[in-house]
Amino acid sequence: YIPVSESSDGIDWAHANSLDDEWYVDLVDPHDPNAVLGSLSNITAISITMGYYTDARMSAEVDTIGDDGLSSFPHARMRIMHKIASENYLEEIFTGYISDDPDSYAQSETTTKYSLISSLGALTDDKWTSAKYANVGDSVKSMLQNIMTLCGRTYSVESATSDYTFSSVVQWKAQSSILTTVIQLADYAGDDVTVNGHGDIILTKYVAPSAITDVKWNLNYDDTSGMIVSSSISHTSTSRSLPGRYILECDSITDNANVSADNPIIGVATADSGSEYSSATRGYMIASSETLSDFTGGQSEINTLAKARLANAQSATDEWSVTTLYAPMREGEIALFTKENTTHVCLIKSITADCI
């Protein structure tokens, strides 16, 4: 894996567009990510998409015109590289399998658009031929290692990750997606799965975005010489869809025969009339509801739980979409976003990078 060079920390990405850089695509063996077979030629466009809340994490598109050299290695993976020679900077941005390659012919030239999927994304349509079981005593890490070996994926485990040993049997049905199994196994251990630019699948410790303290980027709308290059910024907020009431229902409690489907126990919490989420303020009510399957307690306890659920549900999420100069950002990193002298600590949820 070729990480960001040590000297890249000194690159001023707000002014890096003045540097001569190069984007190119290596052709890589479909089984061995360390074996570079050749390079793609006649590239006209490269676009990379990253998504923190997407299972595959990354995908890309590469456009070429004419003879691009892929015919010599038709099943090769493509590795998108970025190089700034003057800064001793070289990074593998993305390595993916070709999932589609439509072409068109005009004016005696063939143009091809390659769609690329990540090492994780390529597990989406790989399915179990029979039921897959996690048996009592099986561990998440050993199961994931076996799956990666079975599927021919290069794989590494970060030291901070946890493990989980199953105390009961869990089943994934035949024909279910192997990627779904991988993600759910990581969830059991409190871990996460992602990919790096080399095409390796990485098991990493899950950290809630609100707990990430390492700020990677500073995006200041008020700074005309900063990273943001467009005056157009879009903003959305969930504040108008947040509930003013939360309803909990439970129709079965061990050792309480009075609770049944015909006589459930119900807890309700409603926002105070002065709240911006109340019907007194809005003029209408938004209620969220939930059915509990593992509740123990009585009326007082379910009311308290409903109040806690309502408080947790009344946290608005704001999103901004901005256009910036290219920088080696990754989904899941933290950026400071400043607009009109107000700074927000933001998770980078998704990125679309038009490289060429």
Side-chain angles (χ1 to χ4, degrees), residues 97-337:
Y97 300 92
I98 302 171
S99 62
D100 199 11
D101 57 352
D103 59 61
S104 59
Y105 185 80
Q107 298 179 344
S108 302
E109 290 281 12
T110 298
T111 59
T112 307
K113 180 180 289 292
Y114 297 101
S115 296
L116 309 179
I117 54 175
S118 70
S119 299
L120 279 173
L123 294 177
T124 303
D125 293 326
D126 197 352
K127 300 180 180 182
W128 297 114
T129 57
S130 60
K132 175 68 175 178
Y133 294 91
N135 294 307
V136 174
D138 286 346
S139 74
V140 162
K141 285 187 176 180
S142 64
M143 289 190 67
L144 284 174
Q145 183 62 69
N146 290 340
I147 291 172
M148 297 304 162
T149 301
L150 173 68
C151 297
R153 298 292 188 276
T154 51
Y155 169 70
S156 65
V157 178
E158 293 184 351
S159 59
T161 53
S162 303
D163 204 353
Y164 176 83
T165 301
F166 287 91
S167 57
S168 59
V169 176
V170 176
Q171 180 193 52
W172 289 271
K173 294 182 178 180
Q175 301 183 52
S176 61
S177 168
I178 291 180
L179 179 57
T180 299
T181 304
V182 167
I183 291 172
Q184 290 178 354
L185 283 170
D187 285 344
Y188 273 105
D191 294 328
D192 197 7
V193 281
T194 186
V195 291
N196 63 17
H198 193 64
D200 305 318
I201 293 176
I202 311 295
L203 183 69
T204 183
K205 181 66 178 177
Y206 173 76
V207 179
S210 60
I212 302 174
T213 58
D214 184 16
V215 176
K216 294 284 190 181
W217 305 99
N218 187 0
L219 305 177
N220 191 341
Y221 178 82
D222 304 328
D223 181 3
T224 57
S225 63
M227 293 284 294
I228 297 176
V229 296
S230 173
S231 60
S232 176
I233 292 178
S234 63
H235 168 251
T236 61
S237 175
T238 61
S239 61
R240 291 190 179 275
S241 62
L242 297 181
R245 178 173 293 149
Y246 212 100
I247 305 167
L248 295 178
E249 180 177 354
C250 181
D251 60 13
S252 177
I253 299 178
T254 303
D255 300 327
N256 190 342
N258 293 324
V259 176
S260 66
D262 294 328
N263 186 38
I265 184 172
I266 297 175
V268 179
T270 302
D272 295 335
S273 59
S275 167
E276 62 180 308
Y277 308 119
S278 69
S279 59
T281 301
R282 281 176 166 162
Y284 66 100
M285 176 58 72
I286 298 176
S288 292
S289 61
E290 180 182 351
T291 300
L292 302 175
S293 59
D294 56 354
F295 177 73
T296 57
Q299 189 65 57
S300 175
E301 288 77 13
I302 200 169
N303 285 342
T304 299
L305 184 57
K307 185 178 293 186
R309 289 281 208 276
L310 179 63
N312 290 336
Q314 289 180 338
S315 179
T317 298
D318 289 85
E319 294 185 12
W320 292 268
S321 179
V322 301
T323 301
T324 73
L325 295 169
Y326 177 81
M329 302 178 190
R330 277 295 305 258
E331 81 289 353
E333 292 180 336
I334 300 298
L336 298 180
F337 171 63

Side-chain angles (χ1 to χ4, degrees), residues 43-88:
I43 299 169
T44 58
I46 296 175
S47 177
I48 303 170
T49 301
M50 308 176 190
Y52 180 73
Y53 292 108
T54 62
D55 293 344
R57 287 301 181 98
M58 300 179 74
S59 61
E61 290 185 344
V62 176
D63 294 2
T64 65
I65 187 168
D67 182 6
D68 55 26
L70 185 69
S71 59
S72 299
F73 313 102
H75 298 291
R77 283 187 279 183
M78 291 188 183
R79 176 171 295 150
I80 299 171
M81 305 288 297
H82 188 210
K83 180 179 182 179
I84 305 176
S86 63
E87 300 294 324
N88 191 31

